[in-house]
Amino acid sequence: MKFGTAKTIGVGYETSDGTATAPDDYTAVSGTLTFTPGLTRRAFSVAIKPDELDEGDETVNLTLSSPSNAISGTPFTATLTIAEDVFKVYLPLILRNE
């Protein structure tokens, strides 16, 4: 099944400190994800910096904001957990059909 809209969709994204702190633990990023008609997935990268000390799990907050031609999904925020170099987070976005 193909989802999408005839309009281009944009949504802002940004990182912020949880228990991990930029720039020591990760590189902060922000920007806009653009979905052209028919495109249903986009990604952004957060560079994780290697630890010299065993600090245990650390977190980074991820936020989507200011969607255009779309309604944000739930949750609008997510937490990235850095645990032994294993990390992956998905942020849902609900598209508005017009």
Side-chain angles (χ1 to χ4, degrees):
M1 179 178 280
K2 187 173 181 180
F3 296 96
T5 178
K7 293 185 177 185
T8 296
I9 295 168
V11 63
Y13 67 88
E14 69 180 328
T15 57
S16 61
D17 292 351
T19 56
T21 56
D24 297 330
D25 297 311
Y26 71 99
T27 301
V29 295
S30 64
T32 301
L33 299 172
T34 302
F35 298 79
T36 56
L39 187 61
T40 59
R41 292 183 184 197
R42 296 294 296 173
F44 64 91
S45 297
V46 178
I48 306 300
K49 299 195 175 175
D51 281 331
E52 293 181 17
L53 302 172
D54 184 15
E55 296 179 303
D57 291 359
E58 295 181 287
T59 61
V60 177
N61 301 313
L62 307 175
T63 304
L64 295 179
S65 62
S66 305
S68 61
N69 295 322
I71 300 169
S72 65
T74 302
F76 206 55
T77 60
T79 302
L80 168 83
T81 300
I82 304 167
E84 299 181 46
D85 297 327
V86 177
F87 35 85
K88 188 177 280 190
V89 174
Y90 294 94
L91 296 168
L93 182 71
I94 298 171
L95 304 180
R96 178 175 49 203
N97 290 320
E98 294 185 24

